[in-house]
């Protein structure tokens, strides 16, 4: 988190440096989540009043800029060669199982999907459709074990 915070702040310093410094000074240990929460709070409540040189609209734009920077930094493909993702996929696909393996992550993680695709391991992520996929909660709501029925 600290590395991501530093990269986002560095990228936005030319346009928002003074404001970001002031917002970061409000926290003992600022990270990108606390900064973004504060920026969004200010965007929603201050209207035309200026706080640290920005009004509500300025904070809204800063919020969007932070999110764009986060996306640019983290939206990277899985690198070629071994990784914890490919090793995990190799392990789960190399063992015969009666039922499919279910993987649950607290963050939506495209790197698992990339690793599964590279090794040609079929998977289902809860979405249906090809041209415009949609989430189908009924497809993941049912437990497959006799205890659940």
């Amino acid at each position: 988190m600290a590395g991501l915070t530093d990269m986002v702040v560095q990228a936005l310093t030319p346009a928002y440096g003074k404001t970001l410094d002031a917002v970061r000074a409000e926290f003992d240990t600022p990270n990108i989540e606390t900064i973004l929460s504060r920026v969004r709070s200010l965007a929603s409540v201050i209207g035309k009043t200026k706080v640290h040189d920005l009004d509500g609209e300025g904070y809204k734009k800063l919020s969007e800029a932070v999110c764009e920077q986060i996306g640019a930094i983290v939206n990277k493909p899985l690198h070629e060669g071994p990784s914890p993702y490919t090793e995990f996929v190799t392990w789960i696909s190399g063992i015969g199982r009666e039922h499919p393996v279910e993987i649950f992550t607290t963050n939506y993680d495209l790197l698992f999907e990339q690793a599964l695709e590279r090794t040609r391991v079929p998977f289902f992520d809860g979405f249906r459709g090809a041209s415009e996929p949609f989430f189908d909660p009924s497809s993941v709501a049912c437990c497959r074990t006799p205890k659940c029925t």
Side-chain angles (χ1 to χ4, degrees), residues 8 16-17 30-31 48 66 89 135-137 139:
V8 170
Y16 296 102
N31 63 50
K48 295 186 185 297
V66 168
V89 167
F135 181 69
D136 181 6
S139 66

Side-chain angles (χ1 to χ4, degrees), residues 1-6 8-9 20 23-24 27 29-41 63 66-67 70 74 106-107:
M1 188 67 67
L4 179 60
T5 301
D6 291 342
V8 170
V9 169
L20 286 170
V23 169
R24 290 171 68 194
F27 301 99
T29 54
N31 63 50
I32 199 61
E33 289 179 339
T34 57
I35 293 167
L36 186 56
S37 293
R38 179 70 170 144
V39 165
R40 287 178 172 168
S41 294
S63 171
V66 168
C67 291
I70 292 171
V74 302
T106 55
N107 289 323

Side-chain angles (χ1 to χ4, degrees), residues 18-70:
K18 185 176 178 184
T19 301
L20 286 170
D21 287 345
V23 169
R24 290 171 68 194
E26 295 176 14
F27 301 99
D28 291 333
T29 54
N31 63 50
I32 199 61
E33 289 179 339
T34 57
I35 293 167
L36 186 56
S37 293
R38 179 70 170 144
V39 165
R40 287 178 172 168
S41 294
L42 289 167
S44 69
V45 298
I46 64 173
K48 295 186 185 297
T49 303
K50 287 197 173 190
V51 174
H52 307 308
D53 293 333
L54 292 180
D55 61 7
E57 187 62 31
Y59 277 100
K60 182 179 176 196
K61 289 178 183 174
L62 175 55
S63 171
E64 292 166 359
V66 168
C67 291
E68 286 174 20
Q69 282 302 314
I70 292 171

